[in-house]
PDB file of all heavy atoms in Angstrom:
ATOM      1  N   THR A 260       2.760 -60.479  68.727  1.00 91.00           N
ATOM      2  CA  THR A 260       1.594 -61.419  68.900  1.00 91.00           C
ATOM      3  C   THR A 260       1.760 -62.299  70.061  1.00 91.00           C
ATOM      4  O   THR A 260       0.901 -62.426  70.943  1.00 91.00           O
ATOM      5  CB  THR A 260       1.343 -62.180  67.632  1.00 91.00           C
ATOM      6  OG1 THR A 260       1.135 -61.290  66.524  1.00 91.00           O
ATOM      7  CG2 THR A 260       0.171 -63.144  67.731  1.00 91.00           C
ATOM      8  N   LEU A 280     -11.736 -62.915  88.336  1.00 63.00           N
ATOM      9  CA  LEU A 280     -11.751 -63.675  87.118  1.00 63.00           C
ATOM     10  C   LEU A 280     -11.906 -65.114  87.387  1.00 63.00           C
ATOM     11  O   LEU A 280     -11.168 -65.963  86.901  1.00 63.00           O
ATOM     12  CB  LEU A 280     -10.514 -63.422  86.281  1.00 63.00           C
ATOM     13  CG  LEU A 280     -10.491 -62.141  85.406  1.00 63.00           C
ATOM     14  CD1 LEU A 280      -9.266 -62.026  84.586  1.00 63.00           C
ATOM     15  CD2 LEU A 280     -11.704 -62.145  84.436  1.00 63.00           C
ATOM     16  N   LEU A 318       1.131 -76.844  72.373  1.00 91.00           N
ATOM     17  CA  LEU A 318       2.102 -77.291  73.282  1.00 91.00           C
ATOM     18  C   LEU A 318       1.960 -76.514  74.613  1.00 91.00           C
ATOM     19  O   LEU A 318       2.102 -77.198  75.656  1.00 91.00           O
ATOM     20  CB  LEU A 318       3.505 -77.026  72.689  1.00 91.00           C
ATOM     21  CG  LEU A 318       3.923 -77.917  71.472  1.00 91.00           C
ATOM     22  CD1 LEU A 318       5.288 -77.482  70.951  1.00 91.00           C
ATOM     23  CD2 LEU A 318       3.939 -79.327  71.870  1.00 91.00           C
ATOM     24  N   ASN A 327      -0.713 -77.613  85.844  1.00 71.00           N
ATOM     25  CA  ASN A 327      -1.724 -76.922  86.591  1.00 71.00           C
ATOM     26  C   ASN A 327      -1.474 -75.440  86.715  1.00 71.00           C
ATOM     27  O   ASN A 327      -1.646 -74.834  87.879  1.00 71.00           O
ATOM     28  CB  ASN A 327      -1.965 -77.596  87.971  1.00 71.00           C
ATOM     29  CG  ASN A 327      -3.313 -77.186  88.592  1.00 71.00           C
ATOM     30  OD1 ASN A 327      -4.295 -76.940  87.827  1.00 71.00           O
ATOM     31  ND2 ASN A 327      -3.262 -77.056  89.853  1.00 71.00           N
ATOM     32  N   CYS A 354      -5.142 -73.554  57.265  1.00 97.00           N
ATOM     33  CA  CYS A 354      -4.871 -74.463  56.179  1.00 97.00           C
ATOM     34  C   CYS A 354      -5.948 -74.652  55.201  1.00 97.00           C
ATOM     35  O   CYS A 354      -5.770 -75.064  54.067  1.00 97.00           O
ATOM     36  CB  CYS A 354      -4.520 -75.873  56.767  1.00 97.00           C
ATOM     37  SG  CYS A 354      -3.101 -76.004  57.808  1.00 97.00           S
ATOM     38  N   VAL A 364     -14.426 -64.408  60.445  1.00 98.00           N
ATOM     39  CA  VAL A 364     -15.791 -64.810  60.795  1.00 98.00           C
ATOM     40  C   VAL A 364     -15.811 -66.154  61.506  1.00 98.00           C
ATOM     41  O   VAL A 364     -16.528 -66.280  62.481  1.00 98.00           O
ATOM     42  CB  VAL A 364     -16.724 -64.777  59.588  1.00 98.00           C
ATOM     43  CG1 VAL A 364     -18.105 -65.298  59.940  1.00 98.00           C
ATOM     44  CG2 VAL A 364     -16.820 -63.367  59.030  1.00 98.00           C
ATOM     45  N   LEU A 367     -14.339 -65.754  64.986  1.00 98.00           N
ATOM     46  CA  LEU A 367     -15.225 -65.000  65.885  1.00 98.00           C
ATOM     47  C   LEU A 367     -16.422 -65.780  66.328  1.00 98.00           C
ATOM     48  O   LEU A 367     -16.985 -65.525  67.344  1.00 98.00           O
ATOM     49  CB  LEU A 367     -15.621 -63.674  65.127  1.00 98.00           C
ATOM     50  CG  LEU A 367     -14.551 -62.586  65.048  1.00 98.00           C
ATOM     51  CD1 LEU A 367     -15.042 -61.435  64.178  1.00 98.00           C
ATOM     52  CD2 LEU A 367     -14.117 -62.102  66.371  1.00 98.00           C
ATOM     53  N   GLY A 374     -18.469 -67.157  73.393  1.00 92.00           N
ATOM     54  CA  GLY A 374     -18.189 -66.467  74.657  1.00 92.00           C
ATOM     55  C   GLY A 374     -19.337 -65.629  75.177  1.00 92.00           C
ATOM     56  O   GLY A 374     -19.583 -65.768  76.405  1.00 92.00           O
ATOM     57  N   ARG A 382     -25.407 -65.658  83.420  1.00 88.00           N
ATOM     58  CA  ARG A 382     -26.018 -64.485  84.093  1.00 88.00           C
ATOM     59  C   ARG A 382     -27.562 -64.492  84.121  1.00 88.00           C
ATOM     60  O   ARG A 382     -28.170 -64.192  85.068  1.00 88.00           O
ATOM     61  CB  ARG A 382     -25.522 -63.157  83.477  1.00 88.00           C
ATOM     62  CG  ARG A 382     -26.040 -61.883  84.172  1.00 88.00           C
ATOM     63  CD  ARG A 382     -25.601 -61.747  85.593  1.00 88.00           C
ATOM     64  NE  ARG A 382     -26.067 -60.589  86.243  1.00 88.00           N
ATOM     65  CZ  ARG A 382     -27.170 -60.392  86.736  1.00 88.00           C
ATOM     66  NH1 ARG A 382     -28.069 -61.474  86.805  1.00 88.00           N
ATOM     67  NH2 ARG A 382     -27.542 -59.298  87.393  1.00 88.00           N
ATOM     68  N   TYR A 389     -32.360 -75.872  79.737  1.00 89.00           N
ATOM     69  CA  TYR A 389     -32.847 -77.062  79.176  1.00 89.00           C
ATOM     70  C   TYR A 389     -31.597 -78.015  79.061  1.00 89.00           C
ATOM     71  O   TYR A 389     -30.419 -77.611  79.204  1.00 89.00           O
ATOM     72  CB  TYR A 389     -33.426 -76.888  77.766  1.00 89.00           C
ATOM     73  CG  TYR A 389     -32.506 -76.336  76.701  1.00 89.00           C
ATOM     74  CD1 TYR A 389     -31.812 -77.160  75.860  1.00 89.00           C
ATOM     75  CD2 TYR A 389     -32.358 -74.898  76.581  1.00 89.00           C
ATOM     76  CE1 TYR A 389     -30.973 -76.599  74.873  1.00 89.00           C
ATOM     77  CE2 TYR A 389     -31.478 -74.367  75.627  1.00 89.00           C
ATOM     78  CZ  TYR A 389     -30.804 -75.250  74.731  1.00 89.00           C
ATOM     79  OH  TYR A 389     -29.949 -74.727  73.806  1.00 89.00           O
ATOM     80  N   GLY A 393     -27.205 -84.718  78.106  1.00 75.00           N
ATOM     81  CA  GLY A 393     -26.702 -84.789  79.441  1.00 75.00           C
ATOM     82  C   GLY A 393     -26.070 -83.512  79.957  1.00 75.00           C
ATOM     83  O   GLY A 393     -25.545 -83.437  81.028  1.00 75.00           O
ATOM     84  N   SER A 397     -28.963 -73.015  78.141  1.00 93.00           N
ATOM     85  CA  SER A 397     -30.029 -72.045  78.426  1.00 93.00           C
ATOM     86  C   SER A 397     -30.583 -71.504  77.140  1.00 93.00           C
ATOM     87  O   SER A 397     -29.803 -71.276  76.128  1.00 93.00           O
ATOM     88  CB  SER A 397     -29.532 -70.939  79.319  1.00 93.00           C
ATOM     89  OG  SER A 397     -28.623 -70.073  78.660  1.00 93.00           O
ATOM     90  N   MET A 413     -23.910 -61.450  58.517  1.00 97.00           N
ATOM     91  CA  MET A 413     -24.379 -60.347  57.754  1.00 97.00           C
ATOM     92  C   MET A 413     -23.300 -59.258  57.547  1.00 97.00           C
ATOM     93  O   MET A 413     -23.152 -58.701  56.470  1.00 97.00           O
ATOM     94  CB  MET A 413     -25.573 -59.642  58.524  1.00 97.00           C
ATOM     95  CG  MET A 413     -26.780 -60.520  58.510  1.00 97.00           C
ATOM     96  SD  MET A 413     -28.192 -59.787  59.447  1.00 97.00           S
ATOM     97  CE  MET A 413     -28.599 -58.302  58.404  1.00 97.00           C
ATOM     98  N   LEU A 443     -20.128 -81.420  72.425  1.00 81.00           N
ATOM     99  CA  LEU A 443     -19.861 -81.337  73.786  1.00 81.00           C
ATOM    100  C   LEU A 443     -18.358 -81.449  74.072  1.00 81.00           C
ATOM    101  O   LEU A 443     -17.552 -81.632  73.111  1.00 81.00           O
ATOM    102  CB  LEU A 443     -20.580 -82.497  74.572  1.00 81.00           C
ATOM    103  CG  LEU A 443     -22.114 -82.453  74.312  1.00 81.00           C
ATOM    104  CD1 LEU A 443     -22.730 -83.703  75.089  1.00 81.00           C
ATOM    105  CD2 LEU A 443     -22.779 -81.209  74.808  1.00 81.00           C
ATOM    106  N   ILE A 455     -18.596 -72.972  59.493  1.00 98.00           N
ATOM    107  CA  ILE A 455     -18.669 -71.618  58.939  1.00 98.00           C
ATOM    108  C   ILE A 455     -17.639 -71.383  57.850  1.00 98.00           C
ATOM    109  O   ILE A 455     -17.959 -70.971  56.718  1.00 98.00           O
ATOM    110  CB  ILE A 455     -18.402 -70.524  60.055  1.00 98.00           C
ATOM    111  CG1 ILE A 455     -19.582 -70.571  61.108  1.00 98.00           C
ATOM    112  CG2 ILE A 455     -18.353 -69.137  59.408  1.00 98.00           C
ATOM    113  CD1 ILE A 455     -20.940 -70.189  60.497  1.00 98.00           C
TER     114      ILE A 455
END
Side-chain angles (χ1 to χ4, degrees):
T260 299
L280 274 182
L318 292 175
N327 194 33
C354 295
V364 172
L367 287 172
R382 180 65 179 85
Y389 62 93
S397 70
M413 291 177 67
L443 305 177
I455 294 296

